């Protein structure tokens, strides 16, 4: 079945550092890909999405490009801030016989130090 | 409503009791999902409703768990004879379709003592 694998955390960076959180997926068909963020004490929020190959999702300075050839959707940000400290989840839906079920990676905790 | 509403926000129950968790999705969203997030764990899929189709119950961990969605809107997740390992945050989400964003509620934190 479909699955999502993220790099393990926690990831600790200094403010203004470059961020990459790796995400790869396994799916048949053409799934949609998402990044969700969970700030401390809050619920899950959609950060960005991409629905087809080579699409780039972007929001709040974060970007991720849907790479079908490498089955990846890595999250990047050029300059992180302390306020970006959160848990980031990569997810997919659709494709194959999974229907609309949203399948999550295990989450990557990001801690940004001033 | 403007967002996905879940109630109660917190629930403490004694082991062996039944609990009901409620989810009000965004009006017009045909798809509704329940997930569970345990401390230090990822997100575990429980059940998925899409329109009038039969729900995908493949994630329910045992027959003590059940869910229904009445009138294509409000959903109730019921856990019978609760166990301590059921303690978690139960999240509900709704969406228009699998290529749209999913909007999550704030969750119900269930503690079984």
């Amino acid at each position: 079945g479909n699955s999502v694998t993220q790099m393990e955390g926690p990831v600790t960076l200094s403010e203004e550092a470059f961020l990459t959180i790796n995400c790869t997926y396994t799916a048949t068909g053409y799934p949609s890909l998402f990044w969700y963020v969970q700030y401390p004490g809050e619920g899950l929020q959609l950060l960005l999405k991409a629905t087809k190959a080579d699409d780039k999702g972007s929001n709040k300075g974060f970007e991720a490009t849907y790479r079908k050839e490498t089955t990846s959707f890595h999250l990047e940000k050029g300059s992180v801030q302390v306020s970006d400290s959160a848990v980031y989840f990569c997810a997919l839906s659709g494709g194959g016989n999974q229907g609309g079920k949203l399948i999550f990676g295990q989450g990557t905790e990001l801690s940004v130090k001033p | 409503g403007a967002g996905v509403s879940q109630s109660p926000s917190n629930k403490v129950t004694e082991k062996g009791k039944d609990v009901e968790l409620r989810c009000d999705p965004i009006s017009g969203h045909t798809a509704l999902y329940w997930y569970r997030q345990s401390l230090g764990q990822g997100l575990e899929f429980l059940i998925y409703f899409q329109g009038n189709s039969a729900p995908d119950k493949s994630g329910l961990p045992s027959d003590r768990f059940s869910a229904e969605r009445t009138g294509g809107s409000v959903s109730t997740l019921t856990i019978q004879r609760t166990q301590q390992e059921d303690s978690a945050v139960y999240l509900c989400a709704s969406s228009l379709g699998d290529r749209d964003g999913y909007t999550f509620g704030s969750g119900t934190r269930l503690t079984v003592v």
Side-chain angles (χ1 to χ4, degrees):
Chain A
N2 295 352
S3 66
V4 176
T5 302
Q6 291 179 235
M7 64 186 287
E8 290 190 17
V11 173
T12 302
L13 295 173
S14 298
E15 208 165 20
E16 299 183 3
F18 184 86
L19 168 71
T20 299
I21 300 178
N22 289 340
C23 171
T24 57
Y25 67 91
T26 301
T28 55
Y30 299 91
S32 292
L33 301 174
F34 305 85
W35 276 100
Y36 281 83
V37 59
Q38 188 172 33
Y39 297 103
E42 298 185 15
L44 278 161
Q45 302 174 28
L46 176 66
L47 180 59
L48 54 85
K49 68 175 183 179
T51 59
K52 61 182 188 297
D54 300 324
D55 266 3
K56 178 186 283 187
S58 61
N59 186 24
K60 299 182 180 180
F62 291 89
E63 292 183 340
T65 301
Y66 189 141
R67 300 285 188 201
K68 192 161 179 64
E69 64 276 14
T70 54
T71 62
S72 64
F73 194 55
H74 305 321
L75 183 68
E76 296 182 336
K77 186 173 185 180
S79 176
V80 294
Q81 305 300 312
V82 172
S83 57
D84 293 328
S85 298
V87 181
Y88 293 82
F89 293 91
C90 186
L92 69 80
S93 74
N97 61 354
Q98 298 295 304
K101 186 167 64 183
L102 191 60
I103 297 170
F104 287 91
Q106 68 270 37
T108 302
E109 182 180 358
L110 170 67
S111 177
V112 181
K113 306 297 185 185
Chain B
V4 177
S5 177
Q6 291 188 246
S7 61
S9 54
N10 279 285
K11 176 72 176 178
V12 179
T13 189
E14 292 182 352
K15 178 180 172 181
K17 300 285 189 183
D18 297 352
V19 294
E20 284 189 353
L21 312 179
R22 177 186 168 103
C23 173
D24 272 290
I26 291 175
S27 179
H29 278 193
T30 56
L32 186 148
Y33 315 80
W34 284 97
Y35 287 81
R36 177 167 73 174
Q37 187 174 28
S38 303
L39 186 63
Q41 302 295 313
L43 290 147
E44 178 185 5
F45 166 76
L46 297 178
I47 188 169
Y48 160 49
F49 297 89
Q50 172 61 59
N52 296 320
S53 302
D56 176 353
K57 303 180 181 180
S58 60
L60 294 178
S62 78
D63 59 8
R64 296 186 294 104
F65 288 71
S66 63
E68 62 178 21
R69 188 178 185 192
T70 53
S73 182
V74 172
S75 178
T76 302
L77 177 69
T78 301
I79 309 173
Q80 296 178 310
R81 305 181 302 281
T82 52
Q83 304 295 312
Q84 287 185 330
E85 61 263 27
D86 299 335
S87 297
V89 176
Y90 289 81
L91 296 168
C92 177
S94 70
S95 78
L96 283 171
D98 63 359
R99 296 197 177 274
D100 298 289
Y102 298 68
T103 302
F104 280 83
S106 299
T108 294
R109 181 175 298 279
L110 175 67
T111 305
V112 182
V113 297

